[in-house]
Amino acid sequence: MVVKDSIKRPLIFAYYVTGHGFGHATRVVEVARHLILAGHDVHVVTGAPDYVFTTEIQSPRLFLRKVLLDCGAVQADALTVDRLASLEKYSETAVAPREFILATEVEWLKSIKADLVVSDVVPVACRAAADAGIRSVCVTNFSWDFIYAEYVMAAGHNHRTIVWQIAEDYSHCEFLIRLPGYCPMPAFRDAIDVPLVVRRLHKSREEVRKELGIKEDVKIVILNFGGQPAGWSLKEEYLPHGWLCLVCGASDNMDLPPNFIKLAKDTYTPDVIAASDCMLGKIGYGTVSEALAYKIPFVFVRRDYFNEEPFLRNMLEFYQGGVEMIRRDLLTGHWRPYLERAVSLKPCYDYGINGGEVAAQILQNTASGKNYTSDKLSGARRLRDAIVLGYQLQRVPGRDLSIPDWYANAENELGLRTGSPTAEMNDDCFQMHSRSEDIEILQGDVLGLSDTMSFLKNLSELDVVLDSGKSTEKRQMREQKAAAGLFNWEEDIFVARAPGRLDVMGGIADYSGSLVLQMPTREACHVAIQKIHPTKQRLWKHAQARQNAKGQGPTPVLQIVSYGSELSNRGPTFDMDLSDFMDGGQPMSYEKARSYFARDPSQRWAAYIAGTILVLMKELGIHFENSISMLVSSAVPEGKGVSSSASVEVATMSAVAAAHGLNIEPRDLALLCQKVENHVVGAPCGVMDQMTSACGEANRLLAMICQPAEVLGLVDIPNHIRFWGIDSGIRHSVGGADYGSVRIGAFMGRKIIKSFASELLSKSCANGVTSDDLEEDGVELLETEASLDYLCNLSPHRYEALYVKQLPEIVLGETFVKKYADHSDPVTVIDKKRNYGLRAATRHPIYENFRVKAFKALLTSATSDDQLTALGELMYQCHYSYSACQLGSDGTDRLVQLVQEMQHSKISRSAEGTLYGAKITGGGSGGTVCVVGRNCLKSSEQIFQIQQKYKGATGYLPIIFEGSSPGAGKFGHLRIRRRLQSKSN
């Protein structure tokens, strides 16, 4: 059907196409085709090749203008997005020449007398349209402010303004024509949903196969990675017997086996997709929409750091059309189990695929004067005070963004609070007797912890899910299916639990040897593990296929299921042969381990878990001769600055130790877990997180001097004092560039201090006498400072009196290395081309150590308003010291400001106050704020008010962390067994 045209004259459309991939250009083709069929002129501004448009549209009303106004996401290869390169390329393409671009586009739009500007989804096109006095509309399933928002974390504070500028540009757009599989796009005021935009078919399945010389009974897989498989080695044995593979985008010099066929670069891929039995590729709008439209099963491999993907993936799987392949199996050729699984699927998408026609009608109506907009505030206003970082904005309850129903359903099924089935801890839901019939506790005690009861109940139901056929339900999670086949129920299972931590005081000073005060959170990670002989392990199909291919019989395999993957861009499962940890008869080096886990970013999370096994092998000489199956379920939210990684590491190592009869003291276990994070994961964290998770106790502060990990004891929290955590919604990562650069700056500062102290000593020795300055300072002190092991052992007054003037505010890495060679930190590397904020990074731990000591002393002082005021003031000072180190964030600053406003309000002053202080926690750059106040109902009410005010300002409803729970050492472990007779229930 052609778009109805009641317009007397042809309309002129200026259609801008983003530079990211062919998928955008192909859907623009379909919309433009319908506009041209209705008699209108379409000027396409694109960087895509002409044939993409001219193959489908042969009309004098199509005008192609070759201009690239944005770059999309820069990919290092077909599956890897380079976040920093993407931002730098966008700056080069769209930011630096912005004024020239705007002037040029305004002049061009006026010259063609455009009636409407359409963008998919070039930000500057909307602003240029506004400057030219022309209406604009966007047609897309994602926007670049959402995609780039996570990337700014990799760049630190650099490029952050890119997100704001893009949001502001989009806000000039009148409304959004929103395609299925969409992401949150808060920069737009109004959205009109349309069906899938899919290119039409030109030839039948039979015609395509006849042209290719392929019989009807031959199975075909089309390899479609966006034209980027160059350099891959494809082998005949990758395919099941009798199959053929059609390769899109192969380079001219690419040699292919006889069962692989190279498609021409200008092949009309919709026809070939529809003629195939399944598709193997990466997820994008074009591939997903065509797979759904033509009911072709899609075997997909995840990309890292492209935030559009989870939404399309969930839609694909909702309609039973997707199978996920592990990247390792893609590159090593273990394709068979995935392809055979794919052809057994029955994709069930039965909705409209005429989105191009519907969108064209809306665009025509808009260009002729119809108004589709409401009076909502623009996105630039709503994004002014918050960056959409990663998936945090839509992962928690209370958000007011438009999320697809199927995405919200997935979130509800996994648990609203954190995306974990064990997140809801309701004592009334899971009474002991309700699961005692299914799970027998052979050793250990649940300590009355309702989240542990919930986890055990979940375990007891896994085999019921598998045996009852529930796995066929549409919304049954992939991770639940994988977990259902994980354990052998005739063998013992060991369960360990480790909480996150709320950083009350100490934070990033831990790596400089500071005293820290940390409280275990109520939220915790549970790990269930089974050590089992390889002949009894229930292997997943692809793992079984890998073993069969080796022809060695059953060998020890590690299999991991991690709950919560549906709400983050990572795979739900990981498996490896334990022999992969060996290198020449010895455990592999940590450097090789980092490379091993970094090969597939969607499975990089496994380094935190599997890394515990390698550390035990290397540090304690443990030999693992049996297979290991693990289920990881964490209610500690990721990226909130409450040590989700430490809780996973500690819970995992505790479970592994229990299953293998290892008696490791909690302190030693924490130090081993730090090695996992420092050396296997590659995150330069201190040890306080792991120590708190392992050694902490409920409702008490763990006092520890991090030199490296000397526990001073547990500090009781006075009954009248309470601590809360409030999440800013801004994703924190200790692996981020900001945290690492501040750590490097602190170690540089220590090196300069030691060097200057040595110089003063040398001068003294050379002269044979002590100058007046040295007499005052003391030779012994200088000797100590010349061999300073931890920066926090330097007192603030010595720092101010002698060393502060020796420290530059900023130093270039190359300049420092030339003079001092190295900074003597084993877990970070100096970037010679980077500037480091040295003085602030050095000053923070020296003063923080003093603040923590004062804080600890105040906790045991007499109860008074002055006590609380002083505690709060120390926290405020810590917060602003973080900011001086460039580790602050807009969100955490806003939360601290809200606490201050509440503290100094007239009501609080008249009632002697209830909230007294707040500070950013952990590694900074987002994450959670810790608040101190009176332990009373009024304080809880004020925390709730701050939560609502923050939501009103940013659109994000913070998670509140309150309560505490025991550390892993206090919990110990459970040895359990499933009662087999309950299967018949």
Side-chain angles (χ1 to χ4, degrees):
M1 183 177 72
V2 178
V3 174
K4 295 179 180 179
D5 187 7
S6 59
I7 313 303
K8 294 182 179 179
R9 66 172 180 84
L11 296 168
I12 299 173
F13 294 87
Y15 212 139
Y16 287 81
V17 188
T18 187
H20 182 80
F22 280 5
H24 296 266
T26 56
R27 69 190 183 199
V28 167
V29 166
E30 189 63 16
V31 180
R33 183 174 70 85
H34 283 283
L35 289 172
I36 289 172
L37 286 173
H40 306 304
D41 292 347
V42 180
H43 295 255
V44 178
V45 183
T46 181
D50 288 358
Y51 73 82
V52 176
F53 300 91
T54 56
T55 301
E56 184 65 6
I57 305 173
Q58 294 87 34
S59 171
R61 292 192 177 279
L62 174 67
F63 303 88
L64 297 178
R65 176 170 170 248
K66 300 309 259 322
V67 178
L68 188 63
L69 298 179
D70 70 359
C71 64
V74 176
Q75 295 189 202
D77 56 44
L79 295 170
T80 306
V81 174
D82 189 325
R83 295 174 292 172
L84 188 56
S86 297
L87 294 173
E88 291 175 346
K89 184 67 173 178
Y90 187 86
S91 293
E92 176 187 324
T93 306
V95 177
R98 179 176 174 82
E99 294 305 318
F100 173 77
I101 290 173
L102 281 172
T104 302
E105 295 310 303
V106 169
E107 182 180 354
W108 177 74
L109 289 171
K110 290 180 178 178
S111 72
I112 66 169
K113 298 180 180 179
D115 293 292
L116 184 70
V117 170
V118 188
S119 178
D120 184 357
V121 63
V122 181
V124 74
C126 302
R127 174 58 186 271
D131 289 352
I134 303 170
R135 303 167 76 187
S136 63
V137 175
C138 284
V139 183
T140 185
N141 66 304
F142 73 82
S143 55
W144 287 114
D145 54 331
F146 179 74
I147 301 298
Y148 286 152
E150 187 179 53
Y151 298 2
V152 300
M153 293 306 294
H157 289 278
N158 300 325
H159 304 301
R160 181 165 290 186
T161 54
I162 286 177
V163 175
W164 302 126
Q165 186 63 70
I166 292 174
E168 183 185 0
D169 284 349
Y170 285 145
S171 72
H172 294 286
C173 163
E174 288 205 12
F175 63 90
L176 164 70
I177 296 178
R178 189 167 58 186
L179 305 177
Y182 58 81
C183 305
M185 291 180 277
F188 298 99
R189 287 173 288 179
D190 295 273
I192 300 174
D193 291 304
V194 298
L196 286 173
V197 176
V198 182
R199 290 178 289 177
R200 60 177 177 165
L201 297 180
H202 292 171
K203 299 174 183 176
S204 67
R205 172 188 172 95
E206 292 74 20
E207 289 174 321
V208 172
R209 283 178 170 252
K210 183 177 181 180
E211 289 181 2
L212 293 173
I214 301 173
K215 295 180 180 179
E216 183 60 32
D217 59 346
V218 174
K219 296 292 184 185
I220 297 177
V221 56
I222 178 169
L223 188 68
N224 191 354
F225 279 91
Q228 300 185 62
W232 290 3
S233 176
L234 301 173
K235 299 179 181 179
E236 186 173 354
E237 58 267 26
Y238 286 8
L239 301 179
H241 179 71
W243 280 57
L244 289 177
C245 180
L246 307 178
V247 183
C248 299
S251 59
D252 294 335
N253 58 355
M254 188 176 185
D255 293 327
L256 295 178
N259 53 349
F260 287 75
I261 299 173
K262 188 184 303 182
L263 294 175
K265 281 187 167 49
D266 59 353
T267 296
Y268 189 65
T269 53
D271 287 346
V272 184
I273 290 173
S276 301
D277 296 284
C278 65
M279 177 161 50
L280 171 57
K282 64 181 180 182
I283 285 180
Y285 177 85
T287 51
V288 170
S289 62
E290 288 169 356
L292 289 174
Y294 306 127
K295 293 183 169 55
I296 302 301
F298 191 173
V299 179
F300 61 87
V301 183
R302 296 190 188 215
R303 285 182 291 178
D304 58 308
Y305 305 126
F306 199 70
N307 298 349
E308 170 198 25
E309 181 177 283
F311 298 88
L312 291 171
R313 184 183 75 236
N314 284 346
M315 182 174 69
L316 181 68
E317 293 179 341
F318 181 77
Y319 294 112
Q320 302 180 38
V323 175
E324 181 180 346
M325 176 185 283
I326 299 171
R327 185 180 303 195
R328 180 178 72 240
D329 287 345
L330 170 74
L331 299 178
T332 57
H334 293 288
W335 295 8
R336 180 174 177 175
Y338 300 98
L339 300 180
E340 291 177 344
R341 166 64 179 153
V343 294
S344 71
L345 297 179
K346 302 295 182 184
C348 60
Y349 183 83
D350 291 318
Y351 299 94
I353 58 173
N354 62 333
E357 178 184 346
V358 175
Q361 183 68 65
I362 295 170
L363 293 174
Q364 178 182 272
N365 293 343
T366 304
S368 61
K370 183 173 180 179
N371 181 30
Y372 284 95
T373 63
S374 67
D375 296 325
K376 295 179 184 177
L377 289 175
S378 69
R381 286 277 305 276
R382 290 193 283 127
L383 280 182
R384 182 179 58 196
D385 298 316
I387 293 180
V388 185
L389 288 173
Y391 304 106
Q392 302 306 303
L393 193 61
Q394 75 272 12
R395 267 205 232 169
V396 297
R399 68 221 185 291
D400 58 358
L401 301 179
S402 296
I403 306 293
D405 289 341
W406 43 261
Y407 187 88
N409 290 340
E411 186 175 9
N412 290 333
E413 286 189 29
L414 285 176
L416 284 171
R417 187 178 177 92
T418 62
S420 165
T422 65
E424 296 301 314
M425 297 186 288
N426 186 333
D427 290 329
D428 297 327
C429 290
F430 306 115
Q431 296 298 326
M432 284 293 291
H433 71 268
S434 68
R435 54 90 187 158
S436 60
E437 298 175 357
D438 301 327
I439 291 289
E440 181 181 4
I441 298 178
L442 304 174
Q443 182 180 349
D445 188 344
V446 298
L447 302 180
L449 294 166
S450 57
D451 62 335
T452 301
M453 298 177 195
S454 175
F455 180 71
L456 294 178
K457 183 176 187 296
N458 182 273
L459 274 179
S460 73
E461 294 175 344
L462 285 179
D463 64 331
V464 177
V465 169
L466 187 66
D467 295 341
S468 66
K470 288 184 180 179
S471 58
T472 60
E473 295 178 4
K474 282 188 176 181
R475 290 308 308 147
Q476 182 64 43
M477 297 298 113
R478 291 170 301 150
E479 56 199 29
Q480 292 278 10
K481 297 177 187 176
L486 190 62
F487 297 119
N488 184 320
W489 299 109
E490 297 179 356
E491 303 284 338
D492 288 352
I493 296 173
F494 293 81
V495 175
R497 178 191 186 277
R501 68 96 186 95
L502 182 63
D503 168 33
V504 175
M505 288 292 287
I508 58 167
D510 62 340
Y511 54 68
S512 294
S514 177
L515 172 68
V516 299
L517 296 173
Q518 308 293 308
M519 184 176 77
T521 63
R522 182 185 65 173
E523 294 78 11
C525 173
H526 286 84
V527 173
I529 182 173
Q530 186 173 72
K531 178 189 74 172
I532 192 166
H533 192 274
T535 58
K536 296 182 179 181
Q537 188 180 31
R538 301 167 72 172
L539 289 176
W540 295 319
K541 289 182 179 180
H542 65 270
Q544 182 66 57
R546 186 173 67 240
Q547 287 217 347
N548 292 341
K550 291 182 179 181
Q552 299 174 348
T555 57
V557 174
L558 170 65
Q559 294 189 141
I560 305 169
V561 175
S562 175
Y563 281 156
S565 65
E566 290 294 328
L567 304 180
S568 60
N569 192 18
R570 60 181 174 87
T573 64
F574 174 84
D575 65 275
M576 63 180 290
D577 294 341
L578 285 173
S579 60
D580 289 348
F581 275 136
M582 303 303 292
D583 183 17
Q586 297 294 324
M588 70 166 64
S589 68
Y590 288 134
E591 183 179 1
K592 286 187 177 180
R594 281 197 303 275
S595 299
Y596 179 90
F597 289 108
R599 292 184 305 179
D600 186 348
S602 72
Q603 292 194 313
R604 191 173 293 165
W605 57 269
Y608 295 95
I609 302 166
T612 62
I613 293 174
L614 178 63
V615 168
L616 289 171
M617 293 169 70
K618 290 183 69 68
E619 305 299 328
L620 300 185
I622 306 300
H623 296 281
F624 294 94
E625 298 177 352
N626 288 298
S627 290
I628 298 173
S629 297
M630 291 190 205
L631 174 62
V632 180
S633 178
S634 181
V636 185
E638 299 175 21
K640 305 297 186 185
V642 289
S643 297
S644 59
S645 60
S647 66
V648 168
E649 292 156 357
V650 172
T652 300
M653 189 169 285
S654 297
V656 172
H660 292 82
L662 306 176
N663 184 18
I664 306 175
E665 290 297 316
R667 177 186 180 276
D668 297 332
L669 186 138
L671 291 170
L672 290 170
C673 289
Q674 185 195 19
K675 290 183 180 293
V676 175
E677 190 140 3
N678 287 169
H679 302 306
V680 182
V681 176
C685 71
V687 74
M688 72 177 191
D689 299 353
Q690 291 81 6
M691 284 293 293
T692 308
S693 188
C695 305
E697 290 190 15
N699 300 308
R700 305 176 81 184
L701 299 181
L702 182 74
M704 178 181 66
I705 295 178
C706 303
Q707 301 188 14
E710 180 186 349
V711 175
L712 297 184
L714 294 158
V715 180
D716 290 327
I717 302 172
N719 290 334
H720 67 287
I721 294 176
R722 189 172 183 181
F723 297 102
W724 296 265
I726 308 179
D727 156 46
S728 68
I730 296 179
R731 189 172 180 86
H732 149 84
S733 170
V734 295
D738 280 0
Y739 175 90
S741 66
V742 173
R743 175 171 176 147
I744 290 171
F747 277 84
M748 284 177 165
R750 188 189 67 155
K751 190 67 172 278
I752 292 173
I753 288 170
K754 291 174 66 175
S755 177
F756 185 64
S758 296
E759 287 179 17
L760 292 179
L761 276 174
S762 298
K763 289 177 182 178
S764 172
C765 294
N767 295 333
V769 295
T770 302
S771 67
D772 291 341
D773 286 341
L774 287 181
E775 287 175 354
E776 182 179 345
D777 293 332
V779 173
E780 287 188 11
L781 274 175
L782 283 176
E783 288 175 343
T784 300
E785 288 155 5
S787 59
L788 192 66
D789 48 358
Y790 290 98
L791 197 54
C792 287
N793 290 339
L794 182 67
S795 64
H797 72 269
R798 288 288 291 177
Y799 169 76
E800 294 290 348
L802 203 58
Y803 299 110
V804 66
K805 294 180 181 179
Q806 304 302 318
L807 301 176
E809 290 283 354
I810 298 173
V811 66
L812 181 67
E814 185 175 17
T815 303
F816 179 87
V817 170
K818 281 183 179 179
K819 185 171 182 179
Y820 298 101
D822 192 18
H823 63 324
S824 303
D825 180 12
V827 298
T828 57
V829 177
I830 296 172
D831 182 348
K832 293 183 179 180
K833 296 181 180 180
R834 179 165 187 168
N835 283 312
Y836 293 93
L838 191 145
R839 185 179 293 180
T842 304
R843 184 180 191 276
H844 175 82
I846 294 171
Y847 276 83
E848 182 71 357
N849 189 43
F850 176 79
R851 286 189 290 263
V852 182
K853 289 179 179 179
F855 196 95
K856 180 174 178 286
L858 280 167
L859 284 173
T860 58
S861 66
T863 301
S864 68
D865 192 61
D866 288 340
Q867 176 200 33
L868 281 161
T869 301
L871 290 171
E873 181 60 31
L874 289 170
M875 295 180 80
Y876 286 139
Q877 289 180 16
C878 172
H879 179 79
Y880 293 115
S881 184
Y882 264 80
S883 297
C885 294
Q886 300 298 306
L887 285 176
S889 73
D890 297 338
T892 51
D893 286 347
R894 177 175 288 278
L895 285 170
V896 171
Q897 181 182 354
L898 288 171
V899 172
Q900 290 175 341
E901 291 173 356
M902 191 70 70
Q903 176 187 0
H904 299 299
S905 66
K906 290 182 180 180
I907 296 176
S908 290
R909 289 201 306 270
S910 64
E912 295 186 345
T914 57
L915 300 183
Y916 287 86
K919 61 175 277 288
I920 194 172
T921 64
S925 294
T928 293
V929 162
C930 179
V931 182
V932 64
R934 287 189 186 277
N935 185 13
C936 62
L937 180 60
K938 183 62 177 177
S939 295
S940 296
E941 291 174 353
Q942 290 186 336
I943 292 292
F944 175 75
Q945 291 171 26
I946 288 171
Q947 181 190 42
Q948 295 302 315
K949 287 182 178 181
Y950 190 80
K951 178 180 183 292
T954 67
Y956 174 81
L957 183 70
I959 292 175
I960 302 298
F961 297 98
E962 53 184 336
S964 185
S965 66
K970 192 73 174 178
F971 180 85
H973 69 270
L974 305 178
R975 181 167 63 90
I976 65 173
R977 185 168 290 191
R978 180 78 162 79
R979 295 182 188 274
L980 298 180
Q981 62 267 27
S982 65
K983 282 187 176 185
S984 61
N985 294 344

